[in-house]
Amino acid sequence: MRDRRTAIDWAQEIKELLDIRYAEAEKVLLVMDNLNTHSIGSLYEAFDPAEARRLAHKLEIHHTPKHGSWLNIAECELSAFTRQCSSRRMPDRVTLQREANAWVDRRNRTQKGVDWQFTTKDARIKLKRLYPQIQS
């Protein structure tokens, strides 16, 4: 957790993710939002070209839909976190981190799942403008 969300901050988080948390992995599949700092270019801004290239080759990036964040399970989880944990003012970062860790531990223990009821038919109606129109 960093104080800011700059390109450099993102790049440093990615380096930590790849070199410490998933050091043994050949490739890490990363699903993330479309924030402007979340790009391979940020790695080149933060590190020398060889290091940036090394990190980039370990990543397989998939961006969440720009117009369908409500379809994203991670967004649903963040919404639950906001409602259940961080909806009140925290006096400091240490308290926020402690509360967040406790919430994550509780959430993982109870194994909350997703009862996905959104069908392909629903998607075609709701997301009509995203589907190509085929003229026969």
Side-chain angles (χ1 to χ4, degrees):
M1 180 186 234
R2 298 190 185 268
D3 291 332
R4 300 174 306 156
R5 293 183 295 177
T6 67
I8 303 298
D9 294 318
W10 182 82
Q12 290 170 340
E13 286 292 326
I14 294 301
K15 181 174 174 50
E16 185 176 313
L17 181 80
L18 296 174
D19 289 348
I20 297 171
R21 191 159 193 155
Y22 296 103
E24 302 302 315
E26 286 181 39
K27 185 77 80 173
V28 172
L29 184 116
L30 184 61
V31 178
M32 62 185 178
D33 63 12
N34 291 281
L35 190 64
N36 64 338
T37 59
H38 295 172
S39 72
I40 296 298
S42 295
L43 297 174
Y44 285 89
E45 192 175 328
F47 307 113
D48 66 75
E51 179 66 357
R53 192 171 30 264
R54 180 187 72 80
L55 295 169
H57 285 304
K58 285 190 77 171
L59 283 176
E60 182 179 327
I61 296 176
H62 296 270
H63 290 281
T64 58
K66 290 181 182 177
H67 303 292
S69 65
W70 54 274
L71 289 170
N72 181 351
I73 303 303
E75 293 281 346
C76 295
E77 197 68 6
L78 287 171
S79 175
F81 173 76
T82 300
R83 287 189 322 274
Q84 297 170 6
C85 180
S86 68
S87 60
R88 65 195 184 285
R89 182 147 175 82
M90 302 284 175
D92 52 44
R93 184 175 171 170
V94 172
T95 303
L96 173 61
Q97 189 74 51
R98 186 179 61 244
E99 294 287 323
N101 288 341
W103 182 86
V104 168
D105 289 344
R106 252 188 335 273
R107 191 81 169 169
N108 287 338
R109 274 195 316 276
T110 58
Q111 292 292 305
K112 293 295 181 188
V114 175
D115 182 14
W116 199 251
Q117 298 177 15
F118 195 70
T119 65
T120 303
K121 182 180 175 185
D122 293 334
R124 289 197 173 108
I125 293 166
K126 185 88 173 167
L127 305 172
K128 183 178 178 181
R129 63 184 169 74
L130 298 178
Y131 284 86
Q133 299 297 315
I134 300 172
Q135 303 296 325
S136 54

